[in-house]
Amino acid sequence: MNSVVKIHMKELQEILKKVSNFAPDEKAILATVVDVQGSGYRRAGARMLIDENGFSIGTVSGGCLEADVLERTKKVLETGEPQVFVYDTTALEDSVFSLNMGCRGVIRILLETISSQDKYLEFLERFWLENLAGVVITTLISPSENIPNKIGSKLLTIPDFIFHNEFDNVLENKLLKIAENTICDKKSQIVTVEDAEFFFEYLPPQVLLTIFGAGTDAIPLCNFAKNLGWRVSIIDHRPAFATKDRFPLADNVSVMMPEDFGVFTPSDGNYATVAMSHNYSRDKDIIWRFLNTTAFYVGALGPKKRTEKILQELAEEGKKFPPENLANLYAPIGLDIGANSPEAIALAIIAEINAVLANRNGGFLRERQGSIYER
């Protein structure tokens, strides 16, 4: 069963930050939603960390399953044996522990131990550092002797880095081939190979957002993006504005002159940029430069006529860009939500970037036909 990728970067970052600070002998349980059929509040890839004291980070449902998951973690902590649990809410509304969930879905959750010594952490650190797409392959059902640890055995792969629990070469090659297809399709999936069932979780490159302009309106935009787990860079030519004190959540804050903007161009990845310097010539230069890159989103603050004038002047000046990249220009920027304050405008911009990333139009869900999760 294929599912549209929904990676919860902020949640995963917080979980791994917590685990990386564990003492060498400390461990916790990582609960991961591996499959959802029908309706459910969270999708495959949602995670929840539960430590030995019952403290938790993240969520695997809308609060309906967490109490039972907490109880089940005690046994997994005792035995150290990973387990997959199935919650079927498709029957009566009170069919799961009399919780009156009404979600009408079948949810499978993997519970496994995790510690600061886990190779999973090293893999994710490299994944984030190199900003590459990756795949986490986890065994869910395993009657095969080729998989020594059975449930929970993993094969982790990004370019130039593979870690696994000693799968044989034949099985490893089969899994890696499916992983390549998973990256190509950009979708997590569950696949049966040699009578064993595996969860192929697609991890996309992290969203990189560069904001050109460090005015007051850039502050909530930066904060909203960081709350989604995106990596944010702030660039402005004014030292008094481009400061870490004004943007404490930003990953990078740089003072840069307009003529140096060209050195700050994206490589392959989920790259978005917003021109909000409130200076016509600087925004024009930013738009031109980034329409010549792989950025999936180039947003420009200001009215439509301003952007039309910019494009006309670029054409007259002979400053070209691939014509197909014009579809990546969003100006006026943001979704039409009636925003008229810095915070509301930032919300409209972040929502639009997320909609573009998810290949959605950003309309009302009540008007959507079919599943709200499918593309």
Side-chain angles (χ1 to χ4, degrees):
M1 174 185 175
N2 285 357
S3 60
V4 176
V5 61
K6 284 286 184 181
I7 300 302
H8 317 281
M9 286 296 185
K10 180 70 178 298
E11 182 176 77
L12 187 54
Q13 290 167 1
E14 291 180 346
I15 286 173
L16 293 178
K17 182 179 179 180
K18 174 74 173 178
V19 175
S20 65
N21 290 322
F22 279 0
D25 60 344
E26 191 175 0
K27 61 182 179 179
I29 294 297
L30 182 63
T32 304
V33 176
V34 295
D35 190 22
V36 178
Q37 299 181 37
S39 179
Y41 181 74
R42 302 301 303 274
R43 308 306 289 174
R47 290 176 174 82
M48 178 181 178
L49 181 77
I50 306 102
D51 69 13
E52 295 171 301
N53 298 316
F55 173 80
S56 64
I57 297 175
T59 179
V60 291
S61 75
C64 309
L65 301 178
E66 276 68 13
D68 185 70
V69 170
L70 285 169
E71 284 299 313
R72 293 179 187 269
T73 60
K74 297 176 182 178
K75 181 177 179 180
V76 178
L77 273 171
E78 288 178 4
T79 64
E81 294 293 328
Q83 295 188 39
V84 177
F85 296 97
V86 180
Y87 296 92
D88 187 346
T89 68
T90 59
L92 299 175
E93 290 190 350
D94 62 353
S95 60
V96 181
F97 318 112
S98 299
L99 292 177
N100 193 29
M101 290 179 63
C103 291
R104 305 292 185 177
V106 178
I107 304 166
R108 285 204 286 171
I109 298 176
L110 168 69
L111 300 184
E112 57 188 332
T113 58
I114 188 169
S115 71
S116 60
Q117 312 303 310
D118 202 304
K119 278 284 185 179
Y120 188 41
L121 297 180
E122 179 185 345
F123 168 78
L124 287 169
E125 286 173 358
R126 290 194 61 168
F127 160 72
W128 276 317
L129 179 64
E130 299 177 22
N131 198 42
L132 299 169
V135 178
V136 177
I137 307 169
T138 305
T139 310
L140 302 181
I141 299 175
S142 173
S144 172
E145 295 181 356
N146 294 331
I147 306 173
N149 294 332
K150 296 186 177 181
I151 295 175
S153 294
K154 294 187 186 303
L155 192 157
L156 315 171
T157 176
I158 56 175
D160 301 322
F161 181 84
I162 295 174
F163 169 79
H164 61 84
N165 292 19
E166 299 180 359
F167 295 104
D168 69 30
N169 291 335
V170 173
L171 179 58
E172 177 187 318
N173 289 334
K174 290 181 179 179
L175 296 177
L176 289 177
K177 182 63 177 177
I178 298 171
E180 290 178 7
N181 294 333
T182 300
I183 290 176
C184 183
D185 295 339
K186 299 181 179 181
K187 287 184 178 181
S188 298
Q189 58 180 329
I190 289 179
V191 180
T192 299
V193 181
E194 295 186 3
D195 296 323
E197 189 179 57
F198 300 91
F199 174 44
F200 288 76
E201 183 183 8
Y202 170 67
L203 300 180
Q206 193 173 182
V207 177
L208 308 179
L209 174 63
T210 300
I211 303 171
F212 287 91
T216 301
D217 51 356
I219 296 173
L221 182 61
C222 171
N223 295 344
F224 278 138
K226 289 304 299 178
N227 281 332
L228 291 175
W230 298 356
R231 191 182 302 171
V232 180
S233 297
I234 304 292
I235 296 178
D236 199 295
H237 69 289
R238 300 165 294 184
F241 284 74
T243 68
K244 195 65 176 176
D245 287 340
R246 282 170 56 79
F247 296 92
L249 299 183
D251 297 276
N252 297 289
V253 180
S254 302
V255 177
M256 193 177 296
M257 298 303 292
E259 56 268 25
D260 298 324
F261 286 172
V263 304
F264 205 92
T265 55
S267 57
D268 291 338
N270 286 338
Y271 202 102
T273 189
V274 172
M276 53 192 313
S277 70
H278 299 280
N279 180 282
Y280 182 85
S281 60
R282 292 193 187 100
D283 285 353
K284 183 172 76 170
D285 189 56
I286 292 163
I287 290 171
W288 170 64
R289 291 183 186 280
F290 285 85
L291 285 179
N292 277 292
T293 70
T294 59
F296 74 90
Y297 182 96
V298 179
L301 204 66
K304 183 178 295 186
K305 288 184 178 181
R306 180 179 189 263
T307 304
E308 291 173 348
K309 183 180 178 183
I310 284 175
L311 294 175
Q312 180 181 342
E313 289 183 3
L314 290 175
E316 292 171 352
E317 295 167 10
K319 292 185 174 179
K320 300 179 179 180
F321 52 83
E324 62 273 16
N325 284 2
L326 188 60
N328 299 332
L329 177 61
Y330 292 83
I333 196 171
L335 295 183
D336 183 8
I337 62 172
N340 58 5
S341 69
E343 291 77 15
I345 292 170
L347 179 63
I349 294 171
I350 289 295
E352 183 176 61
I353 297 174
N354 197 77
V356 173
L357 193 64
N359 194 27
R360 291 294 189 90
N361 293 324
F364 296 115
L365 283 177
R366 69 179 184 181
E367 297 176 0
R368 182 175 176 81
Q369 300 298 314
S371 170
I372 65 174
Y373 292 108
E374 295 302 322
R375 294 190 181 187

